[in-house]
């Protein structure tokens, strides 16, 4: 059996090694148009910033190591220019010599990945405008930074690459401005959860120009002007385009393969395309979202590697299946970690799913053990079935652990209530006896059993302030004086029982505290004394973080993300 693989990064390289492990006698040819294979896309910004010191550390394998260990014929700096399914051949061009040749195949695997989205804007080909996708891109940016020593940079795009590059440039002393057409960074997060990321970026000196549109670029001596739709141009020493990626599928289209959303390649669960003996994996393919069941593009290394393994199994006569991706991701943002899995509120609404949510600020480990930090945690679940839909967490230590537990719970089909039963490891330096994931389950259990009602930050301004309801802040007097919600009266939780006669049982009570714990306790108390009560989800911390962001506060570090 002769297998030709187009593309040698995550999906292609994984498939090649798996095929060899399954079939020692297969002829395997991997063709990669760049000069490198099996490289770590996710590590590229950290090489630019000098965190990763040596260029060799970016590549897991080389053409030579692939041959030595697996006897795989890896051809770099060669590009497949055409596929002929009827004859089962590909046309290949050697980029250095310009020569072309034809290669036959029994099985063909397409793993071309995605290319940086580069809009047709004036000046986009300037030598000071960069994209970051390949090792060559990284080396070019690294050389520029070392030689030109830029002082200012504009990053167009606020996704993973944009934020990672922003951090690395700032650490090198570069002043960074991020321009983003949507009014938030990190699309996997809801806007309220992204507020914590915005605050951290601004705290580190990054200027955020959200809700603005780039219209072009213009070189001006040793500077480049970024032209904006409704604002004055921004002058900088360099620009990085990081506005997203587009499936690189022109070969598939020209070969007559069926295409899906945004021109991606349609595959089935076996990673087979619409043409026999042609498989496809990675960022170029359309997948089924595990939570919604809808078609999606999810450009992440984890799914690409899994798909490569599954395609390899099936090429070798197996029957492996890819059951969809839920887009689990994690990102370092200076001193914060931002992570998500499943779907957010916007996606749930688009899918027509009736959902509810809880927001909490649990500690990373036992609060009495030194170094505990709170994390902002949001969990979505479907109202009727109580199945878990998604989660978002922003904080310090322990974020990655909790998002992985929740990602596993979603994949296992667990309900939100079953989070209460998870038996998770506990020791004071690592967690609490009631882990944050357990706490999310307890909160949902109380909501669904009717023990407590909640309202959210975006409903605060609409609360009745005409005397028809009681608005209570149950924090301490000191906390209240530092800042409070308009119209809320301060009665500390510990004093509440002595003030019950001052409240009218015929009026609803809306309660607020710092993070939602004391207001929950207050509602349980009030409910048992005959009051109708609801408490603020996420408390004053969450409300303040989101509304401060809406006011584009420049330097405040949001309450609730401080060390406990």
């Amino acid at each position: 059996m002769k297998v030709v693989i187009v593309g040698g990064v995550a999906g292609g390289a994984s498939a090649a090694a798996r095929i060899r492990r399954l079939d020692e006698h297969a002829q395997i040819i991997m063709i990669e148009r760049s000069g490198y294979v099996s490289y770590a896309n996710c590590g590229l910004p950290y090489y630019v910033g000098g965190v990763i010191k040596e260029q060799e550390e970016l590549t897991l394998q080389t053409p030579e190591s692939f041959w030595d260990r697996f006897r795989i014929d890896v051809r770099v700096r060669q590009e497949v220019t055409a596929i002929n399914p009827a004859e089962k051949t590909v046309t290949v061009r050697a980029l250095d010599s310009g020569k072309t040749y034809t290669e036959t195949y029994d099985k063909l695997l397409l793993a071309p990945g995605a290319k940086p989205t580069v809009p047709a804007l004036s000046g986009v080909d300037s030598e000071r405008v960069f994209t970051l996708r390949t090792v060559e891109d990284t080396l070019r940016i690294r050389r520029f930074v070392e030689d030109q020593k830029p002082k200012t940079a504009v990053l167009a795009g606020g996704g993973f690459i944009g934020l990672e590059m922003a951090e690395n440039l700032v650490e090198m002393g570069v002043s960074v401005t991020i321009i983003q057409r949507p009014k938030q960074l990190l699309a996997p997060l809801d806007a309220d959860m992204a507020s914590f990321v915005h605050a951290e970026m601004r705290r580190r000196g990054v200027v955020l120009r959200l809700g603005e549109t780039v219209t072009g670029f213009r070189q001006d001596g040793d500077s480049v002007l970024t032209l904006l739709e409704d604002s004055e141009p921004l002058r900088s020493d360099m620009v990085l385009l990081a506005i997203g990626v587009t499936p690189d599928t022109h070969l598939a289209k020209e070969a007559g393969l069926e295409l899906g959303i945004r021109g991606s390649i349609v595959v089935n669960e076996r990673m087979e395309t619409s043409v026999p003996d042609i498989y496809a994996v990675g960022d170029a393919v359309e997948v089924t979202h595990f939570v919604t069941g809808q078609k999606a593009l999810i450009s992440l290394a984890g799914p690409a590697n899994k798909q490569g393994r599954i395609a390899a199994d099936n090429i070798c006569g197996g029957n492996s299946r890819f059951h969809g991706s839920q887009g689990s991701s994690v990102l370092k943002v200076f001193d914060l970690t931002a992570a998500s899995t499943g779907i957010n509120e916007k996606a749930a609404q688009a899918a027509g799913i009736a959902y509810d949510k809880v927001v909490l600020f649990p500690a990373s480990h036992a609060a009495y053990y030194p170094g505990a930090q709170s994390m902002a945690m949001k969990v979505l679940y479907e109202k009727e079935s109580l199945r878990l839909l998604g989660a978002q967490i922003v904080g310090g230590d322990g974020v990655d652990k909790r998002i992985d537990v929740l990602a596993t719970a979603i994949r296992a089909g667990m309900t939100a209530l079953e989070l209460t039963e998870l038996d998770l490891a506990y020791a004071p330096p690592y967690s609490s006896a009631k882990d944050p994931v357990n706490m999310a389950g307890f909160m949902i259990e109380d909501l669904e059993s009717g023990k407590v009602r909640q309202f959210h930050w975006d409903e605060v301004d609409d609360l009745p302030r005409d005397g028809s309801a009681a608005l209570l802040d149950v924090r301490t007097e000191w906390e209240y004086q530092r800042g409070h919600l308009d119209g809320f009266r301060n009665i500390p939780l510990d004093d509440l029982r002595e003030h019950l006669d001052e409240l009218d049982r015929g009026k609803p009570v809306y309660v607020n505290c710092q993070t939602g714990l004391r207001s929950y306790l207050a509602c349980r108390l009030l409910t048992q004394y005959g009051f109708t009560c609801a408490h603020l989800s996420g408390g004053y911390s969450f409300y303040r973080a989101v509304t401060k962001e809406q006011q584009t506060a420049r330097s405040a570090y949001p309450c609730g993300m401080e060390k406990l």
Side-chain angles (χ1 to χ4, degrees):
M1 179 175 65
K2 181 178 180 180
V3 183
V4 172
I5 300 173
V6 181
V9 191
S14 295
R18 176 69 171 172
I19 291 169
R20 174 58 73 227
R21 294 195 298 271
L22 296 175
D23 188 343
E24 176 63 21
H25 304 291
Q27 181 184 0
I28 307 169
I29 301 172
M30 186 161 62
I31 302 172
E32 167 60 41
R33 67 180 159 210
S34 77
Y36 302 86
V37 294
S38 193
Y39 57 83
N41 293 84
C42 303
L44 300 182
Y46 299 100
Y47 178 71
V48 173
V51 178
I52 296 174
K53 303 295 184 184
E54 302 298 330
Q55 178 183 328
E56 292 75 20
E57 294 175 348
L58 293 174
T59 53
L60 305 176
Q61 296 281 354
T62 64
E64 294 76 19
S65 67
F66 258 117
W67 178 258
D68 290 343
R69 177 157 296 180
F70 298 110
R71 294 300 188 269
I72 293 172
D73 179 3
V74 178
R75 304 174 186 178
V76 296
R77 298 283 300 157
Q78 297 194 22
E79 181 178 15
V80 173
T81 58
I83 302 169
N84 188 330
E87 298 180 4
K88 301 185 80 167
T89 63
V90 295
T91 303
V92 185
R93 179 166 63 95
L95 298 180
D96 293 332
S97 67
K99 294 181 180 179
T100 63
Y101 64 93
T102 298
E103 194 70 63
T104 61
Y105 66 84
D106 296 312
K107 305 287 184 180
L108 177 65
L109 175 64
L110 302 180
K115 54 189 176 182
T117 302
V118 180
L121 300 176
S122 61
V124 76
D125 56 350
S126 165
E127 63 183 10
R128 290 177 177 264
V129 177
F130 301 89
T131 58
L132 180 57
R133 185 67 179 177
T134 66
V135 174
E136 285 89 347
D137 294 336
T138 309
L139 300 179
R140 179 177 169 232
I141 297 173
R142 175 77 174 257
R143 283 194 300 269
F144 179 87
V145 170
E146 290 177 341
D147 296 343
Q148 301 297 321
K149 295 179 173 52
K151 299 298 182 185
T152 56
V154 167
L155 307 186
F160 296 109
I161 291 294
L163 268 60
E164 288 169 341
M165 276 300 299
E167 177 179 350
N168 279 276
L169 289 172
V170 167
E171 298 290 359
M172 298 172 71
V174 179
S175 296
V176 173
T177 298
I178 295 179
I179 303 171
Q180 169 89 328
R181 180 182 293 175
K183 293 185 178 181
Q184 71 164 87
L185 304 175
L186 289 181
L189 300 183
D190 286 315
D192 49 16
M193 293 295 289
S195 297
F196 298 106
V197 176
H198 297 174
E200 175 69 356
M201 299 296 285
R202 289 186 171 122
R203 189 175 76 92
R204 292 301 191 126
V206 177
V207 177
L208 301 183
R209 301 285 293 267
L210 305 178
E212 298 204 41
T213 301
V214 175
T215 59
F217 306 95
R218 187 168 69 242
Q219 186 108 9
D220 185 12
D222 290 337
S223 300
V224 58
L225 295 176
T226 299
L227 310 179
L228 303 176
E229 192 170 83
D230 297 313
S231 303
E232 292 297 313
L234 295 178
R235 182 182 297 276
S236 63
D237 298 323
M238 64 179 292
V239 169
L240 177 73
L241 284 178
I243 59 178
V245 294
T246 303
D248 191 358
T249 57
H250 68 281
L251 278 176
K253 180 179 180 181
E254 293 165 4
L257 275 64
E258 182 182 352
L259 302 182
I261 56 177
R262 290 181 57 196
S264 58
I265 302 172
V266 172
V267 293
N268 60 19
E269 290 183 331
R270 291 169 46 85
M271 309 312 299
E272 296 169 323
T273 71
S274 59
V275 175
D277 295 323
I278 300 182
Y279 298 74
V281 300
D283 294 354
V285 306
E286 174 186 88
V287 300
T288 299
H289 197 289
F290 184 79
V291 175
T292 67
Q294 298 176 345
K295 296 302 180 183
L297 291 179
I298 298 178
S299 299
L300 294 170
N305 277 276
K306 295 180 184 72
Q307 292 162 14
R309 179 184 177 91
I310 289 167
D313 287 352
N314 295 323
I315 285 171
C316 294
N319 189 28
S320 294
R321 309 258 169 181
F322 183 70
H323 296 295
S325 173
Q326 61 200 62
S328 301
S329 64
V330 64
L331 176 70
K332 178 182 179 296
V333 186
F334 295 104
D335 289 340
L336 287 185
T337 299
S340 66
T341 186
I343 59 175
N344 58 20
E345 289 195 65
K346 183 178 179 180
Q349 292 162 7
I353 299 174
Y355 69 94
D356 207 343
K357 60 193 174 186
V358 292
V359 176
L360 58 158
F361 286 86
S364 55
H365 58 249
Y368 58 82
Y369 188 88
Q373 293 177 302
S374 62
M375 61 184 79
M377 185 169 171
K378 184 177 187 179
V379 179
L380 275 65
Y381 64 97
E382 189 172 35
K383 282 294 295 179
E384 288 298 322
S385 67
L386 301 185
R387 71 179 176 119
L388 291 165
L389 299 175
Q392 304 157 54
I393 313 178
V394 182
D397 291 342
V399 167
D400 55 340
K401 176 167 68 171
R402 276 54 185 235
I403 207 69
D404 282 343
V405 171
L406 287 162
T408 303
I410 291 173
R411 178 63 58 158
M414 294 176 61
T415 68
L417 301 187
E418 289 176 309
L419 296 180
T420 65
E421 301 174 16
L422 287 176
D423 193 350
L424 303 174
Y426 160 61
Y430 302 105
S431 185
S432 301
K434 296 177 181 177
D435 188 85
V437 175
N438 297 137
M439 291 303 302
F442 293 140
M443 291 174 65
I444 294 170
E445 182 180 59
D446 283 341
L447 280 174
E448 292 302 314
S449 65
K451 290 183 176 66
V452 69
R453 295 168 56 234
Q454 63 180 2
F455 61 102
H456 300 287
W457 69 266
D458 54 353
E459 299 172 300
V460 168
D461 292 344
D462 295 327
L463 293 177
R465 288 173 170 82
D466 57 0
S468 61
L471 309 183
L472 291 185
D473 187 321
V474 295
R475 297 176 298 162
T476 65
E477 182 179 353
W478 177 79
E479 289 175 295
Y480 181 81
Q481 290 176 350
R482 290 183 69 195
H484 57 269
L485 301 176
D486 181 49
F488 276 70
R489 173 190 176 187
N490 182 217
I491 303 179
L493 174 61
D494 294 345
D495 302 330
L496 185 55
R497 289 179 180 86
E498 285 70 45
H499 292 269
L500 293 178
D501 291 343
E502 301 171 21
L503 303 175
D504 186 344
R505 284 175 173 77
K507 297 178 180 180
V509 183
Y510 297 92
V511 187
N512 166 56
C513 72
Q514 192 70 6
T515 62
L517 174 57
R518 283 172 287 176
S519 58
Y520 158 72
L521 296 174
C523 273
R524 288 302 306 140
L525 186 159
L526 290 167
T527 298
Q528 294 178 76
Y529 279 100
F531 292 90
T532 299
C533 187
H535 80 120
L536 178 58
S537 171
Y540 183 70
S541 289
F542 201 51
Y543 176 88
R544 182 169 177 259
V546 178
T547 55
K548 231 177 169 26
E549 167 57 29
Q550 291 177 338
Q551 299 163 7
T552 62
R554 292 286 172 177
S555 60
Y557 199 63
C559 193
M561 300 303 294
E562 304 160 351
K563 289 186 178 181
L564 294 172

